[in-house]
Amino acid sequence: MIRRRRSAEPPAAGSTHPGLLLHDAGDSPGADSGAPPRFTDGPADVLLRRLELTVRRRLDGLLQGDHLGLVPGSGSEAGDSRTYHPGDDVRRMDWPVTARTQVPHVRETIADRELETWAVVDLSASLDFGTANCQKRDLAIAGLAAVGHLTVHGGNRLGAVVTTGERVDRHPALPGRVAAERLLRSVVATPRAEGGRRGDLAAALETLRRPERRRGLVVVISDFLGDSDWERPLRALGTRHQLLAIEVVDPRELELPDVGLLTVVDPESGQTLEVPTGDAEFRARFAQGAAAERARIAAALRRAGAGHLQLRTDRDWLMDVVRFVGDQRRAGSGGASR
């Protein structure tokens, strides 16, 4: 939370948005801004329906049936061709390729099996913050909605572990869009953590390790700020599951504007600091430190073998998802495109 010491315009009348949102709360971001809905601006069902329609319009067709089977064995989905080797099933001969190349080829198949996706959603107090189009909490929920839309089809299951620092809620993995919508409503209704409580992402990740679950996709949605004790359980999950990390970022966490003297309060520790944003050297040091912190987070995610998608409160988050999915598919790597 940030409080400005010098005089400032009073907040818009009727604003009840908890946490910090440094723009006029009376002007809800439109579709052109690429912002997700603010889940305190109206009934959750209405806002989730609006989010669902937006996600479907922008993401439909990206991944339908395009994840690779996670269990060894042949399937019915056609894959790439390769050179024939003695012992291959002749019923899988790829005659068109064989005729073109004059070399015997067989057609590989992809195991098309049900995918189980678990999302670890960090809704600790540090996500009740936003200085652009939305709060980070809203963006985290939107990221979960996109994951659900891209993975829940064909009998696939989606479950979630939600941590706030005060509580850890586990929602079982169930198939179908109705179950996914019910899960989203439950996540939106999760009470906000009180100030002075630090989130425990590592403990939430551990709940997916013990007991051991079937192989699948694990999506971690967080700002990853604070202690890096989450890296070890994340790397352990990566030995069994495909990993996708969705990092939620606000631009004021990367650089500070010149707005005079600020009183800054850490919502998770309660620590208060006076920040001289009018000092150009201080702003430069802050930007360097923030860049180093983000580089450390990115390096930890790479070591864990996770795909890394960054969503920002000042950008079109769905366009970032589309670019990430396209890059993953072209690279033929893991993450959400699997």
Side-chain angles (χ1 to χ4, degrees), residues 74-108:
S74 61
S76 58
E77 198 71 23
D80 295 329
S81 292
R82 64 168 175 81
T83 306
Y84 172 86
H85 298 290
D88 286 338
D89 189 345
V90 295
R91 292 174 296 180
R92 293 196 289 115
M93 291 294 296
D94 191 340
W95 296 112
V97 176
T98 299
R100 287 197 304 270
T101 62
Q102 300 298 307
V103 177
H105 279 71
V106 294
R107 173 70 67 175
E108 294 278 16

mmCIF file of all heavy atoms in Angstrom, residues 74-108:
data_model
loop_
_atom_site.group_PDB
_atom_site.id
_atom_site.type_symbol
_atom_site.label_atom_id
_atom_site.label_comp_id
_atom_site.label_asym_id
_atom_site.label_seq_id
_atom_site.Cartn_x
_atom_site.Cartn_y
_atom_site.Cartn_z
ATOM 1 N N SER A 74 0.743 -45.658 -27.469
ATOM 2 C CA SER A 74 0.258 -45.097 -28.715
ATOM 3 C C SER A 74 -1.144 -44.559 -28.529
ATOM 4 O O SER A 74 -1.864 -44.927 -27.608
ATOM 5 C CB SER A 74 0.263 -46.169 -29.813
ATOM 6 O OG SER A 74 -0.595 -47.233 -29.445
ATOM 7 N N GLY A 75 -1.536 -43.687 -29.422
ATOM 8 C CA GLY A 75 -2.873 -43.115 -29.375
ATOM 9 C C GLY A 75 -3.436 -43.040 -30.772
ATOM 10 O O GLY A 75 -2.911 -43.604 -31.725
ATOM 11 N N SER A 76 -4.537 -42.302 -30.912
ATOM 12 C CA SER A 76 -5.211 -42.204 -32.194
ATOM 13 C C SER A 76 -4.913 -40.899 -32.913
ATOM 14 O O SER A 76 -5.298 -40.736 -34.067
ATOM 15 C CB SER A 76 -6.729 -42.319 -31.973
ATOM 16 O OG SER A 76 -7.170 -41.302 -31.098
ATOM 17 N N GLU A 77 -4.214 -39.968 -32.264
ATOM 18 C CA GLU A 77 -3.950 -38.659 -32.852
ATOM 19 C C GLU A 77 -2.710 -38.745 -33.742
ATOM 20 O O GLU A 77 -1.656 -39.203 -33.307
ATOM 21 C CB GLU A 77 -3.735 -37.633 -31.741
ATOM 22 C CG GLU A 77 -3.886 -36.192 -32.173
ATOM 23 C CD GLU A 77 -5.335 -35.833 -32.458
ATOM 24 O OE1 GLU A 77 -6.237 -36.496 -31.939
ATOM 25 O OE2 GLU A 77 -5.540 -34.902 -33.247
ATOM 26 N N ALA A 78 -2.833 -38.302 -34.986
ATOM 27 C CA ALA A 78 -1.705 -38.391 -35.920
ATOM 28 C C ALA A 78 -0.597 -37.434 -35.520
ATOM 29 O O ALA A 78 -0.852 -36.298 -35.149
ATOM 30 C CB ALA A 78 -2.185 -38.081 -37.336
ATOM 31 N N GLY A 79 0.642 -37.910 -35.600
ATOM 32 C CA GLY A 79 1.798 -37.076 -35.287
ATOM 33 C C GLY A 79 2.704 -36.941 -36.499
ATOM 34 O O GLY A 79 2.249 -36.930 -37.644
ATOM 35 N N ASP A 80 4.019 -36.849 -36.262
ATOM 36 C CA ASP A 80 4.989 -36.691 -37.345
ATOM 37 C C ASP A 80 5.370 -38.043 -37.941
ATOM 38 O O ASP A 80 5.171 -39.096 -37.336
ATOM 39 C CB ASP A 80 6.240 -35.982 -36.827
ATOM 40 C CG ASP A 80 5.945 -34.561 -36.385
ATOM 41 O OD1 ASP A 80 5.035 -33.939 -36.966
ATOM 42 O OD2 ASP A 80 6.625 -34.078 -35.465
ATOM 43 N N SER A 81 5.963 -37.983 -39.129
ATOM 44 C CA SER A 81 6.488 -39.189 -39.772
ATOM 45 C C SER A 81 7.958 -39.351 -39.417
ATOM 46 O O SER A 81 8.661 -38.369 -39.162
ATOM 47 C CB SER A 81 6.337 -39.098 -41.291
ATOM 48 O OG SER A 81 4.980 -39.144 -41.656
ATOM 49 N N ARG A 82 8.417 -40.596 -39.423
ATOM 50 C CA ARG A 82 9.836 -40.880 -39.213
ATOM 51 C C ARG A 82 10.211 -42.087 -40.067
ATOM 52 O O ARG A 82 9.346 -42.811 -40.582
ATOM 53 C CB ARG A 82 10.137 -41.150 -37.739
ATOM 54 C CG ARG A 82 9.467 -42.379 -37.168
ATOM 55 C CD ARG A 82 10.030 -42.740 -35.810
ATOM 56 N NE ARG A 82 9.325 -43.854 -35.200
ATOM 57 C CZ ARG A 82 9.532 -45.130 -35.482
ATOM 58 N NH1 ARG A 82 10.444 -45.470 -36.413
ATOM 59 N NH2 ARG A 82 8.856 -46.083 -34.879
ATOM 60 N N THR A 83 11.502 -42.294 -40.213
ATOM 61 C CA THR A 83 12.000 -43.407 -41.025
ATOM 62 C C THR A 83 11.604 -44.749 -40.413
ATOM 63 O O THR A 83 11.641 -44.912 -39.183
ATOM 64 C CB THR A 83 13.527 -43.331 -41.141
ATOM 65 O OG1 THR A 83 13.894 -42.042 -41.634
ATOM 66 C CG2 THR A 83 14.056 -44.400 -42.081
ATOM 67 N N TYR A 84 11.229 -45.678 -41.257
ATOM 68 C CA TYR A 84 10.849 -47.008 -40.811
ATOM 69 C C TYR A 84 12.060 -47.750 -40.253
ATOM 70 O O TYR A 84 13.173 -47.683 -40.787
ATOM 71 C CB TYR A 84 10.254 -47.800 -41.981
ATOM 72 C CG TYR A 84 10.006 -49.261 -41.679
ATOM 73 C CD1 TYR A 84 8.830 -49.669 -41.079
ATOM 74 C CD2 TYR A 84 10.971 -50.222 -41.995
ATOM 75 C CE1 TYR A 84 8.596 -51.015 -40.798
ATOM 76 C CE2 TYR A 84 10.763 -51.562 -41.718
ATOM 77 C CZ TYR A 84 9.572 -51.949 -41.112
ATOM 78 O OH TYR A 84 9.352 -53.279 -40.830
ATOM 79 N N HIS A 85 11.841 -48.446 -39.115
ATOM 80 C CA HIS A 85 12.858 -49.310 -38.524
ATOM 81 C C HIS A 85 12.295 -50.717 -38.400
ATOM 82 O O HIS A 85 11.082 -50.881 -38.175
ATOM 83 C CB HIS A 85 13.281 -48.801 -37.138
ATOM 84 C CG HIS A 85 13.903 -47.445 -37.164
ATOM 85 N ND1 HIS A 85 15.142 -47.204 -37.712
ATOM 86 C CD2 HIS A 85 13.455 -46.248 -36.707
ATOM 87 C CE1 HIS A 85 15.442 -45.924 -37.593
ATOM 88 N NE2 HIS A 85 14.426 -45.318 -36.986
ATOM 89 N N PRO A 86 13.124 -51.749 -38.591
ATOM 90 C CA PRO A 86 12.628 -53.127 -38.472
ATOM 91 C C PRO A 86 11.913 -53.336 -37.136
ATOM 92 O O PRO A 86 12.412 -52.942 -36.074
ATOM 93 C CB PRO A 86 13.902 -53.975 -38.557
ATOM 94 C CG PRO A 86 14.844 -53.123 -39.354
ATOM 95 C CD PRO A 86 14.545 -51.709 -38.959
ATOM 96 N N GLY A 87 10.737 -53.909 -37.190
ATOM 97 C CA GLY A 87 9.939 -54.114 -36.002
ATOM 98 C C GLY A 87 8.780 -53.151 -35.874
ATOM 99 O O GLY A 87 7.864 -53.371 -35.068
ATOM 100 N N ASP A 88 8.797 -52.067 -36.659
ATOM 101 C CA ASP A 88 7.680 -51.122 -36.633
ATOM 102 C C ASP A 88 6.425 -51.773 -37.213
ATOM 103 O O ASP A 88 6.504 -52.641 -38.092
ATOM 104 C CB ASP A 88 8.012 -49.865 -37.437
ATOM 105 C CG ASP A 88 8.998 -48.964 -36.718
ATOM 106 O OD1 ASP A 88 9.092 -49.071 -35.474
ATOM 107 O OD2 ASP A 88 9.684 -48.161 -37.383
ATOM 108 N N ASP A 89 5.280 -51.336 -36.716
ATOM 109 C CA ASP A 89 3.997 -51.849 -37.200
ATOM 110 C C ASP A 89 3.773 -51.349 -38.625
ATOM 111 O O ASP A 89 3.690 -50.140 -38.874
ATOM 112 C CB ASP A 89 2.880 -51.355 -36.277
ATOM 113 C CG ASP A 89 1.536 -52.014 -36.577
ATOM 114 O OD1 ASP A 89 1.403 -52.619 -37.662
ATOM 115 O OD2 ASP A 89 0.628 -51.903 -35.728
ATOM 116 N N VAL A 90 3.671 -52.288 -39.573
ATOM 117 C CA VAL A 90 3.522 -51.900 -40.980
ATOM 118 C C VAL A 90 2.169 -51.234 -41.245
ATOM 119 O O VAL A 90 1.989 -50.554 -42.258
ATOM 120 C CB VAL A 90 3.690 -53.123 -41.903
ATOM 121 C CG1 VAL A 90 5.108 -53.658 -41.806
ATOM 122 C CG2 VAL A 90 2.664 -54.203 -41.586
ATOM 123 N N ARG A 91 1.215 -51.393 -40.312
ATOM 124 C CA ARG A 91 -0.075 -50.736 -40.481
ATOM 125 C C ARG A 91 0.025 -49.221 -40.309
ATOM 126 O O ARG A 91 -0.911 -48.500 -40.645
ATOM 127 C CB ARG A 91 -1.082 -51.311 -39.491
ATOM 128 C CG ARG A 91 -1.469 -52.766 -39.781
ATOM 129 C CD ARG A 91 -2.354 -53.323 -38.691
ATOM 130 N NE ARG A 91 -1.655 -53.390 -37.405
ATOM 131 C CZ ARG A 91 -2.202 -53.845 -36.272
ATOM 132 N NH1 ARG A 91 -3.462 -54.274 -36.283
ATOM 133 N NH2 ARG A 91 -1.506 -53.877 -35.160
ATOM 134 N N ARG A 92 1.165 -48.770 -39.783
ATOM 135 C CA ARG A 92 1.346 -47.338 -39.609
ATOM 136 C C ARG A 92 2.256 -46.741 -40.683
ATOM 137 O O ARG A 92 2.780 -45.649 -40.519
ATOM 138 C CB ARG A 92 1.931 -47.052 -38.206
ATOM 139 C CG ARG A 92 0.950 -47.382 -37.082
ATOM 140 C CD ARG A 92 1.342 -46.758 -35.772
ATOM 141 N NE ARG A 92 2.523 -47.377 -35.185
ATOM 142 C CZ ARG A 92 3.682 -46.760 -35.006
ATOM 143 N NH1 ARG A 92 3.850 -45.520 -35.407
ATOM 144 N NH2 ARG A 92 4.704 -47.388 -34.450
ATOM 145 N N MET A 93 2.426 -47.472 -41.770
ATOM 146 C CA MET A 93 3.243 -46.939 -42.865
ATOM 147 C C MET A 93 2.625 -45.650 -43.405
ATOM 148 O O MET A 93 1.420 -45.561 -43.622
ATOM 149 C CB MET A 93 3.354 -47.957 -43.990
ATOM 150 C CG MET A 93 4.182 -49.185 -43.655
ATOM 151 S SD MET A 93 5.929 -48.818 -43.402
ATOM 152 C CE MET A 93 6.400 -48.252 -45.030
ATOM 153 N N ASP A 94 3.469 -44.648 -43.610
ATOM 154 C CA ASP A 94 3.024 -43.375 -44.187
ATOM 155 C C ASP A 94 3.352 -43.430 -45.678
ATOM 156 O O ASP A 94 4.448 -43.038 -46.113
ATOM 157 C CB ASP A 94 3.746 -42.206 -43.490
ATOM 158 C CG ASP A 94 3.147 -40.869 -43.852
ATOM 159 O OD1 ASP A 94 2.455 -40.764 -44.879
ATOM 160 O OD2 ASP A 94 3.372 -39.914 -43.103
ATOM 161 N N TRP A 95 2.387 -43.909 -46.469
ATOM 162 C CA TRP A 95 2.659 -44.155 -47.880
ATOM 163 C C TRP A 95 2.902 -42.873 -48.674
ATOM 164 O O TRP A 95 3.765 -42.863 -49.566
ATOM 165 C CB TRP A 95 1.519 -44.972 -48.488
ATOM 166 C CG TRP A 95 1.406 -46.342 -47.883
ATOM 167 C CD1 TRP A 95 0.410 -46.816 -47.099
ATOM 168 C CD2 TRP A 95 2.357 -47.397 -47.990
ATOM 169 N NE1 TRP A 95 0.667 -48.115 -46.708
ATOM 170 C CE2 TRP A 95 1.863 -48.497 -47.249
ATOM 171 C CE3 TRP A 95 3.596 -47.536 -48.644
ATOM 172 C CZ2 TRP A 95 2.533 -49.699 -47.142
ATOM 173 C CZ3 TRP A 95 4.258 -48.753 -48.535
ATOM 174 C CH2 TRP A 95 3.738 -49.806 -47.797
ATOM 175 N N PRO A 96 2.199 -41.780 -48.431
ATOM 176 C CA PRO A 96 2.500 -40.564 -49.200
ATOM 177 C C PRO A 96 3.939 -40.086 -49.009
ATOM 178 O O PRO A 96 4.615 -39.720 -49.979
ATOM 179 C CB PRO A 96 1.491 -39.545 -48.676
ATOM 180 C CG PRO A 96 0.347 -40.368 -48.197
ATOM 181 C CD PRO A 96 0.976 -41.589 -47.624
ATOM 182 N N VAL A 97 4.430 -40.090 -47.766
ATOM 183 C CA VAL A 97 5.808 -39.656 -47.512
ATOM 184 C C VAL A 97 6.787 -40.664 -48.095
ATOM 185 O O VAL A 97 7.829 -40.302 -48.666
ATOM 186 C CB VAL A 97 6.048 -39.467 -45.999
ATOM 187 C CG1 VAL A 97 7.504 -39.122 -45.718
ATOM 188 C CG2 VAL A 97 5.124 -38.390 -45.451
ATOM 189 N N THR A 98 6.463 -41.947 -47.971
ATOM 190 C CA THR A 98 7.324 -42.980 -48.539
ATOM 191 C C THR A 98 7.448 -42.816 -50.055
ATOM 192 O O THR A 98 8.552 -42.945 -50.626
ATOM 193 C CB THR A 98 6.767 -44.371 -48.212
ATOM 194 O OG1 THR A 98 6.720 -44.539 -46.793
ATOM 195 C CG2 THR A 98 7.625 -45.471 -48.821
ATOM 196 N N ALA A 99 6.319 -42.505 -50.709
ATOM 197 C CA ALA A 99 6.354 -42.339 -52.162
ATOM 198 C C ALA A 99 7.173 -41.113 -52.561
ATOM 199 O O ALA A 99 7.905 -41.145 -53.562
ATOM 200 C CB ALA A 99 4.928 -42.212 -52.697
ATOM 201 N N ARG A 100 7.079 -40.037 -51.802
ATOM 202 C CA ARG A 100 7.807 -38.811 -52.159
ATOM 203 C C ARG A 100 9.305 -38.954 -51.939
ATOM 204 O O ARG A 100 10.110 -38.445 -52.713
ATOM 205 C CB ARG A 100 7.284 -37.619 -51.344
ATOM 206 C CG ARG A 100 5.908 -37.130 -51.767
ATOM 207 C CD ARG A 100 5.657 -35.732 -51.215
ATOM 208 N NE ARG A 100 5.813 -35.667 -49.775
ATOM 209 C CZ ARG A 100 4.850 -35.874 -48.907
ATOM 210 N NH1 ARG A 100 3.623 -36.180 -49.339
ATOM 211 N NH2 ARG A 100 5.069 -35.789 -47.606
ATOM 212 N N THR A 101 9.675 -39.652 -50.854
ATOM 213 C CA THR A 101 11.092 -39.705 -50.486
ATOM 214 C C THR A 101 11.783 -40.974 -50.980
ATOM 215 O O THR A 101 13.015 -41.055 -50.938
ATOM 216 C CB THR A 101 11.235 -39.646 -48.956
ATOM 217 O OG1 THR A 101 10.588 -40.791 -48.371
ATOM 218 C CG2 THR A 101 10.627 -38.363 -48.409
ATOM 219 N N GLN A 102 10.999 -41.968 -51.405
ATOM 220 C CA GLN A 102 11.547 -43.270 -51.807
ATOM 221 C C GLN A 102 12.230 -43.970 -50.638
ATOM 222 O O GLN A 102 13.060 -44.858 -50.842
ATOM 223 C CB GLN A 102 12.537 -43.114 -52.977
ATOM 224 C CG GLN A 102 11.919 -42.497 -54.228
ATOM 225 C CD GLN A 102 10.802 -43.366 -54.787
ATOM 226 O OE1 GLN A 102 10.992 -44.552 -55.026
ATOM 227 N NE2 GLN A 102 9.629 -42.767 -54.988
ATOM 228 N N VAL A 103 11.909 -43.557 -49.425
ATOM 229 C CA VAL A 103 12.433 -44.191 -48.202
ATOM 230 C C VAL A 103 11.236 -44.552 -47.327
ATOM 231 O O VAL A 103 10.354 -43.718 -47.117
ATOM 232 C CB VAL A 103 13.374 -43.243 -47.433
ATOM 233 C CG1 VAL A 103 13.844 -43.889 -46.126
ATOM 234 C CG2 VAL A 103 14.562 -42.857 -48.297
ATOM 235 N N PRO A 104 11.156 -45.797 -46.823
ATOM 236 C CA PRO A 104 9.998 -46.184 -46.005
ATOM 237 C C PRO A 104 9.865 -45.301 -44.758
ATOM 238 O O PRO A 104 10.845 -45.063 -44.032
ATOM 239 C CB PRO A 104 10.286 -47.638 -45.634
ATOM 240 C CG PRO A 104 11.238 -48.114 -46.672
ATOM 241 C CD PRO A 104 12.070 -46.927 -47.039
ATOM 242 N N HIS A 105 8.667 -44.775 -44.525
ATOM 243 C CA HIS A 105 8.363 -43.965 -43.348
ATOM 244 C C HIS A 105 7.128 -44.519 -42.648
ATOM 245 O O HIS A 105 6.249 -45.121 -43.293
ATOM 246 C CB HIS A 105 8.081 -42.505 -43.735
ATOM 247 C CG HIS A 105 9.314 -41.689 -43.945
ATOM 248 N ND1 HIS A 105 10.150 -41.865 -45.024
ATOM 249 C CD2 HIS A 105 9.862 -40.680 -43.195
ATOM 250 C CE1 HIS A 105 11.160 -40.999 -44.956
ATOM 251 N NE2 HIS A 105 11.000 -40.272 -43.859
ATOM 252 N N VAL A 106 7.075 -44.330 -41.331
ATOM 253 C CA VAL A 106 5.877 -44.666 -40.555
ATOM 254 C C VAL A 106 5.370 -43.391 -39.894
ATOM 255 O O VAL A 106 6.131 -42.444 -39.654
ATOM 256 C CB VAL A 106 6.164 -45.746 -39.493
ATOM 257 C CG1 VAL A 106 6.511 -47.064 -40.140
ATOM 258 C CG2 VAL A 106 7.262 -45.296 -38.537
ATOM 259 N N ARG A 107 4.060 -43.375 -39.637
ATOM 260 C CA ARG A 107 3.425 -42.228 -38.998
ATOM 261 C C ARG A 107 3.357 -42.454 -37.495
ATOM 262 O O ARG A 107 2.821 -43.451 -37.029
ATOM 263 C CB ARG A 107 2.018 -42.032 -39.563
ATOM 264 C CG ARG A 107 1.183 -40.975 -38.881
ATOM 265 C CD ARG A 107 1.687 -39.574 -39.157
ATOM 266 N NE ARG A 107 1.521 -39.203 -40.562
ATOM 267 C CZ ARG A 107 1.800 -37.991 -41.036
ATOM 268 N NH1 ARG A 107 2.272 -37.068 -40.210
ATOM 269 N NH2 ARG A 107 1.654 -37.725 -42.312
ATOM 270 N N GLU A 108 3.963 -41.532 -36.725
ATOM 271 C CA GLU A 108 3.864 -41.589 -35.262
ATOM 272 C C GLU A 108 2.452 -41.197 -34.833
ATOM 273 O O GLU A 108 1.731 -40.508 -35.557
ATOM 274 C CB GLU A 108 4.864 -40.621 -34.616
ATOM 275 C CG GLU A 108 6.316 -40.994 -34.838
ATOM 276 C CD GLU A 108 6.790 -42.046 -33.856
ATOM 277 O OE1 GLU A 108 5.928 -42.686 -33.220
ATOM 278 O OE2 GLU A 108 7.996 -42.232 -33.724
#
